[in-house]
Amino acid sequence: MRTYEALYIIAPNLDDDAIQAVVAGVETLITSNGGTIVRSEVWGRRKLAYEIKKHGEGFYVLLRFTASPEFVKKLDNHFKLAETVIRSMVLYLDERTLRLEAEQQFRREEEARIAATRVRGEGDDDDDDEDDEDDFGGGGRGRRRPRKDDDD
């Protein structure tokens, strides 16, 4: 099983129930053929960069799933035959890409955790300002850096 990501655009002239039916139909097609849905994101109605099949906007759906390579051809064919899908793209995500994405996610979570601890620590003022002056030379007063013979 390989990991894939499909981005497809549904025609904007459909109502919300019909759009949800198309999304559910694609997800059912994947699961009924032995695949699993990893993540499904409905981005909503957005303006297109250029007209596609006489539509100026479309309803975007991003879907990450695992499936066999043979199934991707079947899914691509399904998108081509579906009149409600005006554009689609299916990408294979290799192990390196998935690993990099996981590392980025870990970094974002770590930064969020650090930012949350800083926000909680803002109320605790233990005179860090005085320490900062010592670290940066205190505005030109106090400690001097040692002179080197090269400094002429």
Side-chain angles (χ1 to χ4, degrees):
M1 297 294 251
R2 293 181 172 183
T3 303
Y4 295 94
E5 200 166 71
L7 177 68
Y8 57 100
I9 306 171
I10 301 172
N13 55 358
L14 300 174
D15 61 348
D16 290 339
D17 293 334
I19 290 171
Q20 292 303 322
V22 171
V23 172
V26 171
E27 291 177 359
T28 303
L29 179 67
I30 292 169
T31 55
S32 65
N33 283 289
T36 57
I37 305 294
V38 176
R39 181 176 63 212
S40 178
E41 296 178 20
V42 178
W43 290 356
R45 190 178 309 268
R46 296 185 179 215
K47 186 176 180 198
L48 301 174
Y50 53 89
E51 282 194 7
I52 301 173
K53 296 184 181 178
K54 298 183 181 178
H55 295 290
E57 57 182 24
F59 199 86
Y60 283 71
V61 180
L62 179 70
L63 188 64
R64 181 171 289 188
F65 62 96
T66 59
S68 65
E70 297 82 26
F71 171 72
V72 175
K73 294 176 186 173
K74 189 174 187 178
L75 179 64
D76 208 23
N77 194 33
H78 171 77
F79 285 142
K80 287 178 183 176
L81 294 176
E83 293 179 10
T84 55
V85 177
I86 59 176
R87 187 62 51 105
S88 67
M89 177 173 46
V90 180
L91 299 174
Y92 166 64
L93 301 176
D94 60 350
E95 293 300 320
R96 180 174 178 242
T97 304
L98 294 172
R99 189 173 44 253
L100 287 173
E101 188 177 78
E103 288 173 6
Q104 288 175 346
Q105 180 66 26
F106 177 75
R107 257 188 248 124
R108 280 192 297 263
E109 290 171 358
E110 193 68 22
E111 289 172 0
R113 186 186 60 77
I114 290 170
T117 57
R118 284 184 188 154
V119 168
R120 278 188 256 134
E122 280 182 336
D124 302 334
D125 191 16
D126 58 351
D127 293 335
D128 284 341
D129 296 338
E130 293 175 12
D131 296 339
D132 291 342
E133 288 178 8
D134 290 340
D135 292 342
F136 297 109
R141 297 180 303 240
R143 285 186 270 163
R144 303 176 93 188
R145 70 182 175 110
R147 183 177 174 151
K148 296 180 184 175
D149 293 337
D150 298 354
D151 293 331
D152 287 326

